[in-house]
Amino acid sequence: MPAEPVEPPAVAAAADAAEAAALAAADVAADAAGPPPSDAQDAPVVETRGLAKSFGENEILRGIDFAVRPGEVVSVIGASGSGKSTFLRCVNLLEWPSAGEVLYHGRNVLERGYDVAGYRTKLGMVFQQFNLFNNLNVLDNCVIGQVRAAGRPKAEARERALGYLAKVGMERHVDAKPRQLSGGQKQRVAIARALSMEPEALLFDEPTSALDPEMVGEVLSVMGELAESGLTMVVVTHEMAFARDVSDRVAFMDGGVIAESGPAAEIFAHPAQARTQEFLARFHAG
Ligand SMILES: Nc1ncnc2c1ncn2[C@@H]1O[C@H](COP(=O)(O)OP(=O)(O)O)[C@@H](O)[C@H]1O
Ligand SMILES: [Mg+2]
């Protein structure tokens, strides 16, 4: 990641003041204009424009335009190596994009001076390999981030964690260490941990790919409930039934671009592009 250029304090302060003035002016304008137009609630939570990422000479993402709106579930499908994980990691800035924009409620988070740390807390992430702290019990796994990153009082953090652990059916395991849990249970804890931060959207990177087949269902069922409850979700998955039946939209990635996207039912029933047809044919055959 390139080092952030350091601004002289005076310049930074002037920029802050200018920004505050602009925001205040925008507030006044918004008040004067009355309630926002009805499509404002449909404005994307997160959007990418021309998002690109290279590692050295390798151009992995080659201009991705993507958006997820409040309450929407978007599945990202595509062959291994097509750039799906890199895309998610660029969206939440685990990787710094090489070019393009990542907009959060319309503001480009890559701009100098943007509160990147604050932005990261708005997006939760669930990984294939759970990424739990093995030395902490289930409850503490769901508390530590809330206290350290969000600055919540411990009692409040525990209460929230217990609520979300109940939601994923793990309330009876709060004292267990991760090694005492099955893969499916670990992933449900990881989901509860992400929810405990109360993010605005959750990103899932192949959350069931590391699980034994008999445990895939319990995790997908939790994810289905979350989708039903109106959570905004971006899900990289090879579970085509989930992509088809639970998502609102599907984006098919191929060679670092979104080759095709649209309503889930449409993509599965009538894929327009040959490469989408080919990918889905493999799924139907398998
Ligand atoms: N940190 C990295 N350094 C170099 N190459 C990487 C890095 N991360 C991913 N890649 C490369 O980017 C390509 C896409 O990877 P990835 O985003 O993991 O695809 P997918 O999740 O669709 O399988 C792969 O060729 C991979 O080797
Ligand atoms: Mg991946």
Side-chain angles (χ1 to χ4, degrees), residues 84-85 128 205-206 236:
K84 305 180 299 296
S85 295
Q128 186 175 333
D205 192 358
E206 295 198 34
V236 170

Side-chain angles (χ1 to χ4, degrees), residues 4-277:
E4 287 262 328
V6 180
E7 290 177 300
V11 174
D16 282 351
E19 187 180 10
L23 285 173
D27 269 354
V28 170
D31 286 348
S38 61
D39 65 347
Q41 69 210 38
D42 259 358
V45 178
V46 178
E47 185 177 359
T48 68
R49 292 189 191 155
L51 183 70
K53 176 68 181 175
S54 297
F55 294 106
E57 301 277 275
N58 291 334
E59 206 180 4
I60 303 302
L61 302 180
R62 299 184 294 124
I64 296 203
D65 298 320
F66 176 90
V68 61
R69 292 175 177 76
E72 208 176 27
V73 178
V74 183
S75 286
V76 178
I77 62 173
S80 178
S82 58
K84 305 180 299 296
S85 295
T86 304
F87 169 62
L88 279 193
R89 294 170 61 81
C90 282
V91 166
N92 68 6
L93 304 184
L94 286 174
E95 298 283 357
W96 201 259
S98 309
E101 295 182 344
V102 177
L103 303 163
Y104 174 64
H105 292 292
R107 286 202 53 196
N108 184 8
V109 306
L110 305 178
E111 264 171 24
R112 202 154 86 155
Y114 194 91
D115 174 16
V116 165
Y119 168 69
R120 285 196 178 106
T121 67
K122 302 292 185 191
L123 299 182
M125 181 100 165
V126 174
F127 301 89
Q128 186 175 333
Q129 295 294 344
F130 327 122
N131 292 15
L132 296 175
F133 295 111
N134 288 320
N135 57 328
L136 298 182
N137 70 22
V138 162
L139 181 59
D140 289 338
N141 262 285
C142 297
V143 165
I144 189 168
Q146 293 190 69
V147 173
R148 294 216 181 145
R152 287 191 193 132
K154 194 150 186 198
E156 187 189 321
R158 286 171 63 98
E159 198 168 315
R160 257 181 237 231
L162 289 170
Y164 287 111
L165 284 166
K167 196 167 185 169
V168 302
M170 287 299 291
E171 69 275 24
R172 286 183 294 111
H173 301 273
V174 290
D175 296 321
K177 291 282 180 64
R179 73 179 127 75
Q180 298 168 289
L181 304 177
S182 72
Q185 291 175 323
K186 282 189 225 184
Q187 195 58 299
R188 285 188 283 143
V189 171
I191 291 171
R193 175 181 59 178
L195 291 170
S196 294
M197 298 297 286
E198 304 200 321
E200 215 178 318
L202 258 193
L203 313 179
F204 296 80
D205 192 358
E206 295 198 34
T208 60
S209 292
L211 302 179
D212 291 335
E214 67 269 27
M215 289 164 190
V216 169
E218 68 193 57
V219 171
L220 290 180
S221 118
V222 164
M223 291 170 62
E225 284 165 25
L226 293 176
E228 193 71 17
S229 77
L231 183 69
T232 307
M233 298 163 62
V234 180
V235 184
V236 170
T237 187
H238 289 296
E239 293 294 332
M240 293 300 144
F242 178 92
R244 183 190 58 206
D245 301 334
V246 179
S247 337
D248 300 299
R249 282 191 304 118
V250 170
F252 169 63
M253 273 187 74
D254 187 47
V257 298
I258 292 178
E260 183 168 355
S261 71
E266 215 163 280
I267 295 281
F268 279 88
H270 311 289
Q273 304 239 0
R275 45 189 174 168
T276 319
Q277 290 164 9

